Amino acid sequence: MTVVDSREPEGRFRGSAQGTLVPPGADGPREDIGSTMSSVGSSVESAVEDLGAGRGPSWLDAWIGANAGRVVAWRRHIHAHPELSRAEHETTRFLAERLTSVGLQPRVLPVGTGLVCDIGPDPKPGQRTVALRADIDALPLTEATGLPFASTKDGVAHACGHDAHTA
């Protein structure tokens, strides 16, 4: 996730020069992100609230609460039908259908794999903007989990978490 407005609100995780995230009042590092940040040539100076802790916008928490079963089903479908990079045509179609079904207007990329979808109005000057990115490709691996929603494609599996990010 990219946070365009990176001002650090009081009481949120703070960054350090060593590339760690430290919760307010904690003595030590929480998560080492130095290698990720240094690879893009940035320093860790901003903080991002942990929305996974259930303190997201109320409309999002409510929607996820009401649709958790659907989201899990989407994740399991994506997991069971993995596609390698640059071949994610069916995954893209599936995502476009889901986004359209909830009233959004996804735009499939010209190559037919991947899409872009805006949520909400264009921001006005000075407003915060958040960009979310979810990879949809799988890895050239054989899944051996035995899960009921395991990969249905020999030699291709979502062993990377992209299925969860995307759902």
Side-chain angles (χ1 to χ4, degrees):
M1 176 178 359
T2 303
V3 178
V4 176
D5 182 344
S6 61
R7 291 173 289 174
E8 183 174 336
E10 176 108 3
R12 295 188 180 179
F13 286 98
R14 68 185 188 282
S16 73
Q18 290 77 33
T20 56
L21 291 179
V22 183
D27 295 327
R30 172 74 162 216
E31 175 186 353
D32 184 2
I33 60 167
S35 60
T36 303
M37 295 307 290
S38 63
S39 69
V40 295
S42 300
S43 64
V44 180
E45 295 297 331
S46 64
V48 177
E49 183 174 348
D50 179 7
L51 297 180
R55 294 183 310 269
S58 59
W59 65 266
L60 181 59
D61 287 343
W63 191 91
I64 290 173
N67 293 280
R70 290 171 59 190
V71 175
V72 169
W74 297 339
R75 185 250 172 189
R76 289 180 175 181
H77 173 85
I78 294 166
H79 189 92
H81 302 93
E83 296 175 292
L84 295 174
S85 184
R86 309 271 187 234
E88 310 99 323
H89 296 280
E90 289 302 313
T91 303
T92 298
R93 182 191 55 74
F94 177 80
L95 296 173
E97 288 173 359
R98 301 294 81 72
L99 291 167
T100 300
S101 76
V102 296
L104 298 173
Q105 298 176 348
R107 298 177 309 279
V108 174
L109 300 178
V111 295
T113 60
L115 55 82
V116 175
C117 187
D118 296 323
I119 300 173
D122 289 338
K124 295 179 176 123
Q127 286 185 323
R128 288 182 170 195
T129 299
V130 176
L132 303 175
R133 178 178 183 261
D135 292 325
I136 61 174
D137 62 328
L139 297 170
L141 301 170
T142 299
E143 182 170 358
T145 64
L147 293 169
F149 53 90
S151 174
T152 59
K153 296 185 180 179
D154 291 335
V156 184
H158 272 294
C160 49
H162 292 175
D163 52 333
H165 302 162
T166 301

